[in-house]
Amino acid sequence: MSMIHENKDIGIRNINRTELRDIRNVKIDPALSKDERIKSFISQIGNPYCYLDGEIVVSISYTDTDVSLEDRLKSYACGLG
């Protein structure tokens, strides 16, 4: 049974913590193929957009933009100095 919600952007306040799985319990066999590792991860974590890391609820979302993560990180790094 998959826990991936049809709406990946479900509000973090609307999540039932007891339904979330802890990423610390996920074990990936490096000998598996890339596709098999992905399937194993999804099978173990349930909802890859919202899970636990110990007592912390982790919620992941993406913004529809043309700016890449690499561009954002470069911009951030340039702003540090």
Side-chain angles (χ1 to χ4, degrees):
M1 171 168 60
S2 176
M3 289 180 50
I4 298 175
H5 297 281
E6 286 183 19
N7 180 0
K8 70 181 184 310
D9 298 320
I10 190 166
I12 197 165
R13 287 176 180 72
N14 298 325
I15 292 292
N16 181 348
R17 290 175 64 97
T18 63
E19 293 180 3
L20 300 179
R21 298 181 190 166
D22 195 322
I23 198 165
R24 298 175 306 166
N25 297 326
V26 173
K27 306 291 185 236
I28 303 297
D29 181 353
L32 297 174
S33 71
K34 178 182 173 184
D35 286 344
E36 290 170 324
R37 290 191 312 266
I38 291 169
K39 288 177 185 175
S40 177
F41 175 78
I42 297 298
S43 168
Q44 293 178 66
I45 200 65
N47 181 351
Y49 298 104
C50 193
Y51 54 86
L52 293 173
D53 187 350
E55 294 297 316
I56 307 294
V57 174
V58 177
S59 178
I60 299 173
S61 63
Y62 301 93
T63 302
D64 187 17
T65 180
D66 291 332
V67 181
S68 70
L69 176 58
E70 184 176 351
D71 292 338
R72 295 275 188 211
L73 292 172
K74 283 179 184 175
S75 177
Y76 174 73
C78 288
L80 294 176

